[in-house]
Amino acid sequence: MIRAGILQFTPAFLNREESISRVERLLDGVELPELLVLPELADSGYAFPDRDCAWDIAMPVHWNPFLDYLHGLAEAQGTHIVSGVLEKAGNQLYNTSVLLGPAGIIGIYRKVHLFMGEKDIFSPGRASLKTWPTAIGRIGMQICFDWMFPEPWRILAMQDADLIAHPSNLVLPFAQQVIPAYALVNRVFILTANRTGSENGVSFTGRSLIAGPDGRLLAQATEQADGMIQATLAPEEARNKMITFSNHAFRDRVPSLYGPLTEDTQRIEPF
Ligand code: ACM
């Protein structure tokens, strides 16, 4: 069994040092769970008026003081931490999630499905979807609006993800409904770490959640409270893909019928 947690909070807009202070205050005296997930863009805030504004504070992941601070925590407490950050790589900006362990960065994921004005700021992630083995189970990552697209969640589960960390800045109220169903149909644990507060007229919906492979909510935050929620869970439960004694979530699939899913079309013709 491990303890898995989410830190729901309001990042300080355009102020990385203050975002670090806010996390520090919320975690003061707290024994960290083995896996802690923070929201999307936790170092920078979200509602950039334009790309230049985001560019001015974006940083490469290897130089980012917010990640240095989280790495210090992971090293001191022997934990794993996933956080969203604003990434600058060459002349591109990415909305990125970073998996850290006691020895440093284990993996990064760049958001694939960009939401509304994000398309004017970020380049979409186009690297193959991956999962990473760790001492606490195999971990995959998705970011916020990726919730709208079931395909990557399935692919991560088929790559043996036990836990999918989902840093978010949700503005629509739907993901909190659909995530337990994704956990159920893929038989994985999902940790959706949302933020609180509002920025430049954009309000965020909180209600971060941890869902189990049977679709049950193991923990959920309120809409507005900042702080940690946690659950004790057994990552190996995600390795049992049986939904009845004769139905397997993956082996009962019929991929020969699913070809249209891999066609890069805007619209699939009806038969
Ligand atoms: C979102 O993808 N941050 C709504």
Side-chain angles (χ1 to χ4, degrees):
M1 300 290 260
I2 64 162
R3 280 188 311 127
I6 288 171
L7 187 70
Q8 173 169 295
F9 78 110
T10 305
F13 188 52
L14 304 180
N15 189 340
R16 191 173 280 109
E17 288 308 315
E18 174 57 19
S19 294
I20 293 172
S21 300
R22 288 183 188 180
V23 174
E24 243 167 4
R25 284 197 291 275
L26 288 165
L27 293 181
D28 188 31
V30 172
E31 189 192 333
L32 293 187
E34 280 98 328
L35 175 64
L36 179 66
V37 186
L38 277 68
E40 177 184 12
L41 297 171
D43 65 329
S44 63
Y46 179 80
F48 308 111
D50 53 39
R51 189 178 188 275
D52 287 347
C53 172
W55 180 263
D56 285 346
I57 69 148
M59 304 200 80
V61 290
H62 290 284
W63 301 348
N64 185 326
F66 189 83
L67 291 173
D68 289 347
Y69 162 68
L70 294 180
H71 174 224
L73 291 179
E75 196 175 23
Q77 299 207 29
T79 64
H80 288 74
I81 301 179
V82 173
S83 179
V85 288
L86 171 58
E87 182 192 4
K88 181 184 285 183
N91 56 9
Q92 308 295 314
L93 293 179
Y94 294 100
N95 183 335
T96 295
S97 179
V98 178
L99 168 62
L100 291 160
I105 293 179
I106 295 171
I108 73 163
Y109 164 73
R110 291 171 172 159
K111 187 175 186 178
V112 168
H113 304 99
L114 300 176
F115 183 70
M116 294 183 72
E118 290 177 36
K119 294 182 182 185
D120 301 325
I121 294 172
F122 300 111
S123 303
R126 287 294 181 260
S128 302
L129 294 161
K130 285 182 70 169
T131 58
W132 290 270
T134 72
I136 54 167
R138 190 172 270 274
I139 297 176
M141 295 185 275
Q142 291 283 277
I143 299 176
C144 203
F145 191 54
D146 289 326
W147 69 263
M148 181 64 195
F149 305 89
E151 294 88 348
W153 304 81
R154 175 70 97 198
I155 290 167
L156 295 182
M158 292 181 72
Q159 291 182 1
D160 297 330
D162 299 313
L163 305 136
I164 300 179
H166 180 215
S168 295
N169 280 187
L170 293 159
V171 293
L172 301 174
F174 309 125
Q176 291 93 336
Q177 278 173 265
V178 86
I179 289 296
Y182 283 1
L184 172 65
V185 297
N186 293 302
R187 313 289 286 162
V188 292
F189 292 93
I190 301 179
L191 295 96
T192 295
N194 198 15
R195 59 162 287 177
T196 49
S198 57
E199 256 166 31
N200 293 336
V202 180
S203 295
F204 302 94
T205 56
R207 296 171 55 233
S208 296
L209 62 96
I210 304 175
D214 55 2
R216 271 192 310 130
L217 274 178
L218 304 177
Q220 184 156 35
T222 63
E223 189 168 333
Q224 290 176 4
D226 288 357
M228 189 158 73
I229 58 165
Q230 34 180 333
T232 300
L233 53 87
E236 59 274 13
E237 274 178 26
R239 296 168 205 163
N240 176 5
K241 301 299 184 191
M242 300 305 289
I243 186 83
T244 72
F245 68 83
S246 66
N247 292 100
H248 187 277
F250 297 165
R251 288 201 286 269
D252 281 14
R253 295 165 61 251
V254 188
S256 60
L257 292 180
Y258 308 157
L261 282 179
T262 61
E263 284 168 20
D264 209 3
T265 51
Q266 293 302 308
R267 179 165 175 274
I268 296 174
E269 294 297 326
F271 59 87

